[in-house]
């Protein structure tokens, strides 16, 4: 996720472009840049950090065409070279990109052989060179030819000093919109910057190109056929537009999960095999133990990884809280694989655990969302989860993307261990289908009325078995951190060893009971709770009606491969916590006493 703003018009200030770009800073803020045309030449200014750092570098002059970008790094650390805009060899084409180009390495290799010289580590730069290679005097034709060669998702804004009277936008997979106003026409990655000038917004569909000039626009499909496009009237104000109409960032981020899952998978599966280039040099076939260190939600993601891999491979996996691990005298053996999970990449306890391990000469693989974060810099390799910035303090889309990446890592380990059997292949197939499934779950879920019913309780107990015990932990963590309800999580079979004494009609149970191999045992545990008068909300698989007889409320999720239920269940437990928090009148984005990055011990 990055922010894109492009302007073309009769004359506007450079500052105006950057002010509009600032409205997209919530989409990424590790570096920023602008390209505009002055005296028939492209001028580029870039800076690391927020847009405020870029402003002093940009001359306050009047221009007619500009593109700009605020970045959330995926390929290459946040520095000025990797910041957008990127240019071709002759500095005649500049572009900004949002998304991931899956085949950039192949294209880069081909273009290098043709003499193109690359400056950055990004996937985005190849697009500028590809357009240069295909340019035969018509930018539109060159863009059309080039975008058909790209795999992945992308929103682009393109500027050329050869044709300064237009800017070109391209959409495939990543959103792009435009609007027309008296002074200039605007292209942007979402509607926020446009609303100040017009409420009439043109939404681009997938595989479309727009050619914007100061008086006109033309929308084409990827074959070059003209498409008629009407504007839509938007009633949002600027603040709600930043959240795309959602009341809170947390809700918006849950709704983004289908897209972010695609980004976690992008370029990592080909011909039914996992391809995690970050770890291609590791000898995974040789490992005999795995140690996972993490905190909070990342710890729960680590537990899912453990349950999944231990089911398919005879290997010992320890998942440890980083806050405990950092004080131990443990030295994992040479054949151990150590994985540190941290979405922010800045969590102090996880970082100190890594430092302790590094001091002992032990290699660490990090799983993180933030390129260039301290944990990613200090670990030996980092597998990025590509979830885009998460503003809500509660981890939602980053948890789901952690799970995706950890499943991919587990599948890669299974392949290297010659344990990639039929059952495991099915898991890979299911992961590919997930974006559509999660989209349906979120759209069809009707959790708000349920949350209204349960918001009055002071306690909650989440239960699950096997790979869904971590889902219970995650559900309880979400509920307590944003709703301030005391929520515990137990492996369902463990209740009878003590915690069942708590249950009565004031102590509801949230049971995670999909139709998997533990289902009949879960059902018995649910019966045990019912016998203590507890109210019960259960999640189960579609078609399984029998829980309606014993539970007060049942939430259905699509039947799925039982190994991936923790991902399928995630949006439900997140929405449940979200709606309880918001109907209790709290702000789920900013829970009390919590910070997004816990950089203290
Ligand atoms: O950035 P990290 O993944 O290292 O953060 C770890 C925890 O602080 C974090 O997951 C926390 O538990 C979240 N607020 C959970 O929603």
């Amino acid at each position: 996720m990055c922010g894109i703003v492009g302007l073309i018009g009769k004359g506007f200030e450079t500052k105006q472009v950057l002010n509009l770009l600032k409205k997209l800073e919530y989409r990424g803020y590790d570096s920023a840049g602008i390209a505009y045309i002055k005296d028939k030449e492209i001028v580029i200014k870039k800076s690391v950090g927020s847009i405020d750092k870029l402003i002093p570098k940009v001359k306050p002059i009047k221009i007619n065409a500009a593109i700009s970008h605020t970045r959330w790094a995926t390929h290459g650390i946040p520095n000025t070279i990797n910041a957008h805009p990127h240019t071709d060899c002759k500095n005649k084409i500049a572009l900004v990109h949002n998304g991931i180009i899956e085949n950039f390495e192949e294209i880069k290799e081909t273009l290098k052989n043709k003499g193109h010289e690359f400056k950055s580590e990004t996937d985005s730069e190849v697009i500028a060179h590809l357009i240069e290679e295909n340019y035969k005097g018509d930018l539109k034709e060159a863009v059309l030819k080039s975008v058909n060669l790209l795999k992945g998702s992308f929103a682009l804004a393109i500027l050329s000093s050869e044709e300064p009277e237009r800017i070109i936008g391209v959409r495939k997979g990543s959103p792009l919109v435009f609007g027309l106003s008296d002074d200039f026409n605007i292209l942007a990655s979402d509607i926020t910057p446009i609303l100040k000038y017009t409420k009439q917004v043109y939404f681009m569909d997938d595989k479309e190109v727009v050619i914007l000039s100061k008086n006109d626009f033309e929308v084409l499909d990827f074959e070059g056929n003209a498409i008629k496009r009407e504007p839509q009237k938007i009633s949002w104000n600027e603040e709600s537009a930043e959240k795309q109409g959602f009341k809170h960032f947390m809700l918006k981020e849950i709704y983004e999960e289908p897209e972010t899952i695609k980004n976690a998978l992008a370029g990592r599966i080909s011909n039914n095999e996992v391809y995690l280039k970050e770890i291609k040099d590791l000898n995974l076939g040789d490992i005999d133990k795995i140690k996972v260190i993490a905190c909070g939600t990342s710890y729960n993601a680590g537990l899912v990884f453990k349950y999944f891999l231990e089911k398919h491979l005879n290997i010992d996996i320890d998942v440890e809280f980083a806050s405990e691990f950092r004080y131990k005298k443990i030295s994992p053996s040479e054949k151990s694989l150590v994985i540190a999970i941290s979405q922010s990449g800045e969590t102090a306890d996880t970082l100190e655990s890594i430092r302790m391990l590094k001091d002992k000469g032990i290699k660490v693989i990090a799983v993180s969302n933030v390129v260039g974060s301290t944990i990613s810099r200090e670990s030996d390799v980092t597998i990025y989860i590509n979830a885009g910035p998460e503003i809500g303090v509660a981890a939602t889309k980053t948890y789901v993307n952690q799970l995706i990446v950890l499943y991919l890592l587990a599948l890669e380990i299974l392949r290297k261990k010659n344990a990639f059997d039929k059952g495991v292949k099915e898991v890979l197939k299911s992961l590919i289908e997930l974006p559509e499934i999660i989209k349906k779950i979120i759209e069809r879920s009707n959790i708000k009325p349920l949350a209204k019913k349960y918001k009055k309780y002071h306690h909650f107990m989440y239960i699950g078995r096997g790979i869904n015990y971590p889902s219970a932990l995650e559900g309880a963590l979400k509920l307590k951190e944003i709703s301030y309800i005391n929520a515990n999580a137990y492996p369902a079979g463990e209740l009878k060893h003590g915690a069942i004494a708590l249950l009565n009609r004031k102590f509801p149970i949230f049971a995670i009971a999909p139709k998997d191999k533990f289902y009949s045992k879960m059902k018995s545990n649910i019966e045990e709770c019912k016998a203590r008068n507890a109210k019960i909300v259960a999640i189960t698989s579609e078609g399984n009606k029998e829980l309606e007889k014993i539970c007060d409320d049942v939430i259905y999720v699509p039947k799925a491969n039982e190994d991936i239920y923790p991902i399928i269940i995630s949006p439900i437990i997140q929405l449940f916590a979200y709606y309880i928090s918001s109907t209790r009148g709290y702000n789920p984005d900013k829970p009390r006493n919590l910070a997004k990055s816990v950089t203290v011990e």
Side-chain angles (χ1 to χ4, degrees), residues 294-299 341-347 350 375 393-396 402 474 477-478 481 594-598:
C295 302
T297 289
S298 298
Y299 172 88
I341 310 170
S342 171
Q343 82 77 24
S344 64
E346 301 296 345
T347 300
T350 314
I375 285 179
V393 164
T396 53
Q402 282 174 339
E474 182 56 13
L477 177 60
K478 285 289 94 88
E481 76 175 315
L594 290 177
K596 187 72 187 159
S597 298
V598 187

Side-chain angles (χ1 to χ4, degrees), residues 146-164:
S146 304
V147 294
N148 278 297
L149 299 170
L150 300 175
K151 286 190 191 147
S153 66
F154 44 92
L156 306 172
I158 305 158
L159 178 72
S160 169
S161 54
E162 300 285 293
E163 301 181 27

Side-chain angles (χ1 to χ4, degrees), residues 139-250:
L139 186 62
K140 176 173 95 181
E141 291 305 323
V143 168
L144 280 171
K145 190 163 179 197
S146 304
V147 294
N148 278 297
L149 299 170
L150 300 175
K151 286 190 191 147
S153 66
F154 44 92
L156 306 172
I158 305 158
L159 178 72
S160 169
S161 54
E162 300 285 293
E163 301 181 27
E165 70 291 347
R166 54 193 186 173
I167 54 174
I168 296 188
V170 184
R171 173 189 170 149
K172 187 186 161 228
S174 297
L176 200 64
V177 292
F178 62 95
L180 314 177
S181 80
D182 293 340
D183 297 335
F184 42 70
N185 295 332
I186 315 172
L187 182 67
S189 47
D190 73 49
I191 62 174
T192 328
I194 298 180
L195 290 181
K196 192 170 174 212
Y197 296 94
T198 172
K199 299 269 179 195
Q200 300 284 340
V201 175
Y202 295 80
F203 287 86
M204 290 178 66
D205 284 333
D206 252 3
K207 294 190 139 196
E208 284 184 355
V209 173
V210 61
I211 293 118
L212 263 186
S213 59
K214 67 178 178 206
N215 301 318
D216 208 359
F217 72 91
E218 187 187 6
V219 178
L220 306 169
D221 65 19
F222 271 20
E223 274 70 54
N225 303 308
I227 290 176
K228 200 167 158 15
R229 183 59 32 88
E230 297 295 336
Q232 287 181 33
K233 187 156 185 349
I234 304 294
S235 54
W236 299 344
N237 60 26
E238 283 180 57
E239 198 209 325
S240 63
E242 202 178 58
K243 299 190 191 109
Q244 279 157 32
F246 292 100
K247 196 168 170 205
H248 296 105
F249 280 108
M250 181 178 172

Side-chain angles (χ1 to χ4, degrees), residues 538-554:
I539 302 185
T540 193
S541 314
E542 264 161 18
N544 173 37
K545 294 277 175 203
E546 65 177 358
L547 285 186
E548 288 182 11
K549 291 184 213 125
I550 36 175
C551 299
D552 297 86
D553 292 283
V554 181

Side-chain angles (χ1 to χ4, degrees), residues 4 265 275 307 349:
I4 292 177
L265 293 171
Y275 174 64
Y307 271 95
D349 288 319

